[in-house]
Amino acid sequence: AINIFLRQVALEEGIPFEVKLPKYEKAYKELEKAVAYNAFGGGVPSEYANRILKLYAKDLIDLETAVFALGREK
């Protein structure tokens, strides 16, 4: 098993699998808290805000864009 792993490391020129944290969960929860406390005065984010939060959490938009979009909600 170790030889197979080491061969894959050589073939892939690195670890042969993706190593990452569950960014979606962490980013969504953190931004949701920030939005709830700062932008909505402790309230629950709207459906629009939730869509923006999900785009940010999935790394489809950056934080600056998310904050800008949330500020445009009427």
Side-chain angles (χ1 to χ4, degrees), residues 9 14 26-28 35 39 51 58:
V9 168
K26 183 179 177 184
Y28 182 80
V35 168
R51 286 195 314 257
K58 291 179 181 179

Side-chain angles (χ1 to χ4, degrees), residues 4-14 16:
I4 292 170
F5 174 75
L6 293 175
R7 284 185 189 128
Q8 287 298 312
V9 168
L11 287 171
E12 298 287 331
E13 296 180 354

Side-chain angles (χ1 to χ4, degrees), residues 9-28:
V9 168
L11 287 171
E12 298 287 331
E13 296 180 354
I15 297 176
F17 50 85
E18 189 173 351
V19 179
K20 65 179 185 172
L21 295 173
K23 185 176 180 179
Y24 175 82
E25 292 293 326
K26 183 179 177 184
Y28 182 80

Side-chain angles (χ1 to χ4, degrees), residues 21-66:
L21 295 173
K23 185 176 180 179
Y24 175 82
E25 292 293 326
K26 183 179 177 184
Y28 182 80
K29 287 179 182 178
E30 291 301 315
L31 194 56
E32 185 180 49
K33 279 192 260 180
V35 168
Y37 286 101
N38 295 326
F40 298 104
V44 177
S46 67
E47 184 59 36
Y48 171 80
N50 277 324
R51 286 195 314 257
I52 299 301
L53 294 171
K54 287 176 185 175
L55 290 172
Y56 172 71
K58 291 179 181 179
D59 209 19
L60 297 173
I61 60 174
D62 62 14
L63 180 61
E64 184 177 323
T65 303

